[in-house]
Amino acid sequence: MAPGTTAARLAGYVRAAGVRHIFGYPGESVIDFIEAARQHGVEVVAAVREASAAFMAEGAAMATGLPGVCLSTLGPGSTAVLNGVASATLDRVPVLAVSGQIESSREQFFTHQVVDHGRMFAPVTKAVLRLDPGSAASADPVIRKALRTATAERPGAVHLTVTADTWDLPAGNDEVVVPPLGPAAGTVDVYGEGDPLRGLRAARRPVILAGIAAVRCGAGPELVRLAELAGIPVVVSPMAKGVFPEDHPYFAGVLDMAGYRVVWDLLAGADLILAAGFDPVELISPWSVTTPVLHLDTVPNTDQVYASAHEVVGNVAGALGWIADGWSGEPRWTVPEVAAFRARLHAASRAGRAEGRLNPSDVVEIAREAAPPDTIVTTDVGSHKLMAGQVWQASAPRSVLMTNGLSAMGFGVPAAIAARLSWPDRPVVALVGDGGFAMTATELRIAAELRLPVVVVVFADGSLNRIELRQQVRGYPPTATRMGGTDLPALAEAMGCDGVRAETPAALEKALAGLAARSAGARPLVVEARIDPSQYEAQF
Ligand SMILES: Cc1ncc(C[n+]2csc(CCOP(=O)(O)OP(=O)(O)O)c2C)c(N)n1
Ligand SMILES: [Mg+2]
């Protein structure tokens, strides 16, 4: 691809935005862009299927804070990528999804493999844009708009269609100017009558509920400062895990994961909830508490899932710092009070353990024990996610990658591969269900080829457990929710990975013992953890 073409221009912007990998699946309509990306030093990673490529882009963006980029061809490629694109939007992760399209002269009437991308992607993206011969001369603003829209609060996916006859059209050679790709630095807007902080200052039992905008704003240090200064316990949302250290004396658990009733009781008993970058897209339970809320976020409270008479809108770290700067008064909670709460939550989230069996919470604890502190963990979707979300102790933001917006199965393995590509020196562990693993297991072929030693722990219960439990509650037999056992170690070996089965806590400890050392090796590892799922019944 010659310099100055549309393909080169798009690749140039992607590279200038700091993106190192494009995750995709080829088709004739995008080979010019694949070549341009290669020439610009952006590695094009081919997933086994497009849906996984989009999850990889999302995982890379979650792990790095940079936009993720995925690529598909027209028609079947673009329809296949849809789920991952929707996932990025509902998980509030900036992703640029690029799809090729038939040449524009035939697009209006030709039918073979032609799908209207604009109509298909509109409901699951922040914007649908296109480059065609009529707009190639405006490629720069279109590409900048795509990047800026994807990353502007709240972030999400933007879809860009490029027709096949556009890639080699001239698009200019000027210096690439990448727009800002993050939240605003520091201003605070206040909505509502009177002093927005009066309620917070008057509160005797406030609780902070921190969410994903706090991660995007790098608000961890300010959360710690305010929590310590004012003595306020901090609950975090699942995708924000790590934004507040989980070994901190004021840490008060993860919303809507194992032991969730205890966390909701805390929120119900509080006299004020400071929602700090909390995004209601993460709610699994309905918002049923009547506790007053102070909304503090990068965007106004347009969801109105909870009522808030005042809104503090701006950079979450900046706004928390502003509150901390003006704070005075006694700590609202003592450290022992929060510790007592955490002990209750610990007991609740382990409830239902069957002694002498390999319980789901044991798997999470054993994996956490074996994993070095800088490990990145991903989860898939199902009962195991709800367990891992509470039991895995996170120490840093962007170290726990999970989908809790769209919550689509099939995320965990691709996200782990992308995480390892993004952070080649950090151990990566995927905690996935056997259903979600079956959807994406063959992606490990890519991990083996790229010599990415990710460790995948499969919660093998022979069941789509999360759904089987719902059937159980209604008295239905488990229809379409049981799966025959697959020999996972054999499957792993066949793809150039190592595979091992563990049926007891001791066997799992042994299987994961070399986790730290393995992360310097090359072969991915699949651990089939044969769990007793009965603990889930007490939980969910
Ligand atoms: C793509 C997709 N299809 C269906 C669902 C609905 N769903 C949510 S959890 C779940 C079961 C997952 O089973 P598994 O991966 O084995 O995890 P487990 O619940 O057993 O831990 C299903 C089917 C979903 N979230 N995503
Ligand atoms: Mg299962």
Side-chain angles (χ1 to χ4, degrees):
M1 269 289 102
T5 60
T6 304
R9 205 69 190 148
L10 182 56
Y13 269 99
V14 166
R15 171 80 205 196
V19 176
R20 293 291 171 268
H21 302 96
I22 293 174
F23 302 93
Y25 202 86
E28 191 182 342
S29 71
V30 288
I31 54 177
D32 291 332
F33 181 50
I34 291 175
E35 173 58 10
R38 189 190 68 80
Q39 289 179 11
H40 281 78
V42 181
E43 188 181 347
V44 179
V45 178
V48 173
R49 57 200 277 266
E50 285 87 352
S52 297
F55 287 138
M56 288 177 185
E58 184 182 359
M62 281 178 169
T64 61
L66 296 167
V69 181
C70 66
L71 174 68
S72 75
T73 190
L74 75 170
S78 62
T79 51
V81 93
L82 189 70
N83 207 29
V85 172
S87 180
T89 298
L90 263 73
D91 291 349
R92 320 304 193 197
V93 174
V95 164
L96 174 61
V98 180
S99 298
Q101 182 56 292
I102 197 166
E103 63 272 23
S104 46
S105 60
R106 287 197 288 160
E107 199 185 350
Q108 306 287 332
F109 65 88
F110 206 68
T111 43
H112 181 71
Q113 286 201 314
V114 175
V115 173
D116 183 336
H117 292 170
R119 284 169 63 207
M120 182 170 69
F121 284 103
V124 296
T125 53
K126 292 181 72 183
V128 284
L129 299 169
R130 50 185 283 121
L131 289 171
D132 53 30
S135 61
S138 305
D140 274 50
V142 172
I143 298 167
R144 285 201 309 268
K145 178 172 176 174
L147 288 169
R148 187 68 188 108
T149 305
T151 54
E153 291 295 307
R154 292 171 172 144
V158 167
H159 187 266
L160 176 63
T161 292
V162 186
T163 61
D165 47 349
T166 307
W167 292 117
D168 60 357
L169 295 181
N173 263 321
D174 299 341
E175 197 190 333
V176 163
V177 179
V178 180
L181 300 177
T187 63
V188 172
D189 289 340
V190 173
Y191 299 83
E193 291 295 314
D195 179 356
L197 302 185
R198 213 179 63 197
L200 179 61
R201 278 195 295 268
R204 289 288 148 254
R205 293 312 244 184
V207 173
I208 295 173
L209 175 57
I212 42 182
V215 176
R216 295 195 299 271
C217 293
E222 293 297 350
L223 276 170
V224 170
R225 185 158 79 100
L226 183 62
E228 290 176 355
L229 191 66
I232 307 180
V234 179
V235 174
V236 303
S237 74
M239 288 197 289
K241 270 179 77 71
V243 72
F244 192 80
E246 298 192 2
D247 56 358
H248 190 282
Y250 277 102
F251 177 64
V254 184
L255 190 75
D256 266 349
M257 298 283 113
Y260 63 98
R261 291 182 195 91
V262 173
V263 178
W264 278 108
D265 285 348
L266 178 77
L267 295 172
D271 57 1
L272 184 118
I273 296 169
L274 174 57
F278 174 72
D279 190 324
V281 76
E282 285 212 69
L283 286 172
I284 300 174
S285 311
W287 186 278
S288 54
V289 298
T290 52
T291 315
V293 180
L294 174 58
H295 175 89
L296 187 163
D297 196 15
T298 55
V299 293
N301 183 21
T302 51
D303 292 309
Q304 288 298 323
V305 168
Y306 52 75
S308 176
H310 292 96
E311 300 176 9
V312 177
V313 176
N315 181 288
V316 176
L320 288 170
W322 172 63
I323 293 174
D325 286 345
W327 191 263
S328 62
E330 290 300 300
R332 301 304 194 246
W333 295 68
T334 65
V335 166
E337 283 171 336
V338 184
F341 168 77
R342 259 201 322 277
R344 269 205 306 286
L345 176 59
H346 187 277
S349 57
R350 271 69 169 182
R353 273 189 79 255
E355 216 38 68
R357 312 301 296 266
L358 183 56
N359 298 281
S361 64
D362 301 340
V363 176
V364 182
E365 281 174 347
I366 292 168
R368 176 68 281 196
E369 194 64 34
D374 63 338
T375 298
I376 296 176
V377 69
T378 74
T379 78
D380 210 77
V381 173
S383 297
H384 67 281
K385 166 181 129 175
L386 305 183
M387 186 55 74
Q390 195 70 266
V391 174
W392 180 274
Q393 203 183 64
S395 52
R398 301 192 184 281
S399 68
V400 180
L401 313 185
M402 69 159 74
T403 167
N404 198 39
L406 187 65
S407 290
M409 292 166 67
F411 171 83
V413 170
I417 292 171
R420 179 70 193 196
L421 275 166
S422 304
W423 295 102
D425 300 324
R426 290 172 67 178
V428 176
V429 177
L431 304 178
V432 303
D434 44 3
F437 185 67
M439 288 182 170
T440 53
T442 50
E443 299 295 344
L444 285 178
R445 210 194 69 199
I446 306 298
E449 270 167 31
L450 296 175
R451 304 178 73 77
L452 302 170
V454 295
V455 174
V456 180
V457 180
V458 183
F459 289 59
D461 51 14
S463 161
L464 303 176
N465 183 272
R466 174 106 173 106
I467 308 306
E468 188 182 334
L469 288 184
R470 306 329 297 162
Q471 292 175 321
Q472 222 176 67
V473 167
R474 289 186 213 184
Y476 304 155
T479 305
T481 45
R482 287 279 172 89
M483 294 165 296
T486 303
D487 184 343
L488 298 183
L491 179 64
E493 296 282 349
M495 292 186 293
C497 308
D498 295 331
V500 34
R501 180 171 300 125
E503 307 197 31
T504 62
L508 184 62
E509 276 165 26
K510 186 160 166 256
L512 295 176
L515 203 150
R518 165 169 291 274
S519 67
R523 278 166 75 93
L525 170 68
V526 176
V527 181
E528 178 182 332
R530 285 272 185 92
I531 56 163
D532 176 346
S534 57
Q535 185 185 19
Y536 290 142
E537 287 171 40
Q539 289 288 338
F540 315 123

